[in-house]
Each structure stands twice: as structure tokens, then as C-alpha cells.
Amino acid sequence: LAQKYDPQRERELRAWIEGTTGRRIGDSFMDGLKDGVILCELINKLQPGSVQKVNEPVQNWHKLENIGNFLRAITRYGVKPHDIFEANDLFENTNHTQVQSTLIALASQAKTKGNNVSLGVKYAEKQQRRFHPEKLREGRNIIGLQMGTNKFASQQGMTAYGTRRHLYDPKLGTDQPLDQATISLQMGTNKGASQAGMTAPGTKRQIFEPALGMERCDTMTIGLQMGSNKGASQQGMTVYGLPRQVYDPKYC
């Protein structure tokens, strides 16, 4: 903290405080402010009546009371609480850097209020805008860019929340799905496969290859979904559980 203390800032603060109050601080800048008398006179010059009573520095509690009155006065003057030092930072010499920072913030606040101050910065003035209530109500119907963008997508035909909406690509020439038996793009893609003749969920669907000349399978044939019988015939198959005689026609 001591390394952050700026001697150049100290000289500028000394010139400003002595010029405003008309009193000499002394050789040691912080020791000259420790009793709080000059600080109280400074804020009274910037805003008359800020400190009603300035104690003579007879005892330590007089000095601490002067510092406390100064800190409360600059808070009312507009200095932010996080810019204000503690009384012990000055009285016990624990943080001179924070004391210097507070005085610079006070100079900036004085410059903002129109005082002729050569140091500090002028704070930006508050630009408050008032909108007509009708304009505020119209803004509720518009999704602002802070909420994101829909990339100009249309919500025409949007269904109620929780229900399914079928998506399709008009460029592909596909018709909009109307029934609920078609798997929509929201559920995945079927890669162009036809779903004609699709049975209800849970029932068996016979699969065959038309290019091989195969007929539609009946209920007595083990379908490809159940595995392959490697071309073996099941003619004369008995009921499940009964014995079946196996023989070779060449020996009969």
C-alpha cells in the first residue's frame, strides 16, 4: 500500500487544500491533517454548514470526532462509500494511500459540482430518460436482441406447448405430414424409407425383399426378423412340443 502512494498527487492535494481553506498544512502532509480541523474546514468551504462544530485538537477523541464528522460530511456530499477511508487509516497512519484516494475522489466530486479544481476527474452527469407508458407496453410484444434471435424463422402454425409439431423442408418437395403415424424430423430421420403399411406399435410386421421375388411371408414362416433358417424347408412342421420324425428319402 505504501508503494502506491503518489508524492506528485500529494503536492497537488496540498496546493488545492491550502488554496481552498487558506491554511497551511505543514511540512508533513498527513500529520497536518491528522487532527481533522483542516479537513472539516475544507468540506465547509465546498458545502457550507456540512460540519456544524469543529473541535479544538486538545485530546485524541476531539481529533477522531473531527475526522468522523468529515467522513460523514463527504458521504452526504456525494463521495462513494467504497472511496472513503477509515478514521484509523489517518489517525494511526495505517493506510495513507487510502486517505490520498479519498481526497482525490472528493476533488473529483467538487469538480463535478462546478468548483475550480485542477486535479481529479469530472464524473459523467446522469442522463435519465422517460418513455411514454404506451411505448413501454408496445415493447412487451417484441423479443429484444438481449433475449436472442430466431434468425428470422417464422412461427406460423405453431402448436400449443407440449404438443408435437411436424417439420418438413419445402425445398425437397415433400408434403407436410398430416397424420400421427409418420415419424417427423423432430424424432429423427428415416433416410427416405417408405412407411407405407406400417402396423400399430407392438405388432409384428413382415419384411421381405421384392427384388428377390419373394412372396409376402405368412404366419407359419419364421421371418427374417427372427433369424435365418439357411434355406431349410419347414413344410410339415408339427405343433410345438410334439416329436418330428427326421429321415432321408434316399433310404425310404
Side-chain angles (χ1 to χ4, degrees):
L1 293 175
Q3 293 177 355
K4 295 181 180 180
Y5 191 83
D6 191 350
Q8 177 61 29
R9 290 292 187 182
E10 178 185 313
R11 289 189 289 268
E12 295 175 356
L13 288 171
R14 176 190 291 272
W16 172 58
I17 295 173
E18 289 180 348
T20 303
T21 60
R23 297 187 57 171
R24 177 174 171 79
I25 296 178
D27 295 336
S28 177
F29 181 73
M30 290 297 170
D31 290 341
L33 302 178
K34 188 177 296 186
D35 57 8
V37 175
I38 296 180
L39 294 177
C40 292
E41 292 183 359
L42 173 64
I43 189 60
N44 280 335
K45 290 290 185 179
L46 297 176
Q47 187 173 359
S50 296
V51 179
Q52 297 295 332
K53 179 182 178 182
V54 181
N55 298 316
E56 292 296 330
V58 178
Q59 297 181 2
N60 289 339
W61 69 269
H62 291 127
K63 301 176 183 179
L64 287 172
E65 186 176 1
N66 288 337
I67 297 175
N69 292 334
F70 167 76
L71 296 179
R72 286 188 291 269
I74 65 175
T75 302
R76 294 191 298 266
Y77 189 67
V79 180
K80 303 300 181 183
H82 59 268
D83 291 330
I84 299 177
F85 65 89
E86 299 289 338
N88 288 331
D89 293 339
L90 175 60
F91 188 76
E92 296 183 359
N93 301 319
T94 57
N95 193 351
H96 287 172
T97 302
Q98 185 61 37
V99 176
Q100 186 181 75
S101 178
T102 301
L103 294 176
I104 294 175
L106 177 61
S108 300
Q109 190 66 32
K111 178 182 289 188
T112 305
K113 292 181 178 294
N115 293 275
N116 187 13
V117 184
S118 60
L119 72 157
V121 295
K122 184 179 180 180
Y123 297 131
E125 297 180 358
K126 183 178 181 180
Q127 300 291 335
Q128 187 173 3
R129 295 174 175 83
R130 297 183 180 274
F131 296 95
H132 198 273
E134 293 182 358
K135 290 293 183 180
L136 296 176
R137 285 193 293 269
E138 291 178 0
R140 299 176 182 176
N141 300 326
I142 301 175
I143 299 177
L145 294 179
Q146 288 180 330
M147 303 178 184
T149 175
N150 57 3
K151 298 182 180 180
F152 306 103
S154 175
Q155 294 181 347
Q156 184 178 5
M158 189 67 182
T159 58
Y161 289 103
T163 58
R164 184 173 60 179
R165 180 187 181 192
H166 294 288
L167 303 181
Y168 68 101
D169 192 346
K171 293 184 290 185
L172 298 179
T174 57
D175 294 333
Q176 184 176 3
L178 300 177
D179 59 341
Q180 297 184 356
T182 304
I183 300 177
S184 65
L185 294 179
Q186 287 179 327
M187 303 179 183
T189 175
N190 54 8
K191 298 183 180 180
S194 174
Q195 295 181 351
M198 187 66 183
T199 57
T203 58
K204 183 172 64 175
R205 179 187 180 191
Q206 302 296 338
I207 300 177
F208 66 99
E209 179 59 58
L212 298 179
M214 299 173 59
E215 296 296 333
R216 187 182 298 273
C217 300
D218 57 2
T219 57
M220 298 298 296
T221 304
I222 299 177
L224 295 179
Q225 288 178 326
M226 303 179 185
S228 173
N229 56 6
K230 299 183 180 181
S233 174
Q234 295 180 349
Q235 185 177 5
M237 187 68 182
T238 59
V239 182
Y240 290 104
L242 296 180
R244 179 186 181 192
Q245 301 295 332
V246 180
Y247 64 98
D248 191 336
K250 294 187 294 184
Y251 298 104
C252 298

